[in-house]
Amino acid sequence: RSREGFVARRSGDFHTGDRGIVDESGHVTLLGRSNDVFKVGGEKVDRQTIETVLHDMMPDTELSVLPVPHDVFGLVPALFIGAPGNGNLPSRADITAAIRSRLPTRYVPAYFLQVEGNLPRLASGKLDRAMLICDYASMRDYRNPAPSRDRESE
């Protein structure tokens, strides 16, 4: 990050892009990155919240939820799935039901995209999110077309 990105604010704090909380004793708990939250139709969605539900359901499957452009909602969540650890993936309906049972409808991915092999990584070993977002239009949607994104069930 450039020096300008870390310029001190008047309070003396530095903007790093990390989200966190400080408890009464002064301990800091990191909650994620500020860019992990995006708006779907004007309402906030935290991609890590969706990933937590999905990791509970598919603990051995490499996956990531990322915001991708949408004509109506601006951005929508897209689920990128790598090679499943056990060789089996739950159905799209089961994935959707699991998310809807714990989260509002806007958290249900509009796209379910299966990547051949593993998800792409940077030299550092981190997930290459930019590559996934750029390439999502050329990937095949997982099993079925997306269900309607009605807002009534929220």
Side-chain angles (χ1 to χ4, degrees), residues 49-78:
T49 302
I50 304 168
E51 288 180 4
T52 298
V53 171
L54 295 171
H55 282 299
D56 289 348
M57 181 181 202
M58 302 178 281
D60 297 326
T61 302
E62 186 179 40
L63 59 88
S64 183
V65 175
L66 299 171
V68 296
H70 189 272
D71 291 341
V72 175
F73 296 107
L75 293 171
V76 292

Side-chain angles (χ1 to χ4, degrees), residues 100-141:
R100 282 194 174 167
S101 72
R102 294 174 57 183
L103 301 169
T105 300
R106 69 181 177 272
Y107 282 73
V108 175
Y111 305 102
F112 292 67
L113 303 154
Q114 191 167 3
V115 176
E116 295 296 325
N118 296 321
L119 297 181
R121 302 258 171 209
L122 299 168
S124 66
K126 292 182 180 181
L127 182 67
D128 191 346
R129 295 178 188 169
M131 179 180 279
L132 285 173
I133 292 170
C134 288
D135 291 346
Y136 91 95
S138 65
M139 295 179 180
R140 67 177 177 83
D141 205 9

Side-chain angles (χ1 to χ4, degrees), residues 3 8 26-27 29 34 37 46 64 76 78-79 82 84 98 101 109 113 133 141 143 146:
R3 176 177 163 77
H27 291 94
T29 302
S34 59
V37 177
D46 183 344
S64 183
V76 292
L79 170 58
S101 72
L113 303 154
I133 292 170
D141 205 9
R143 303 212 177 147

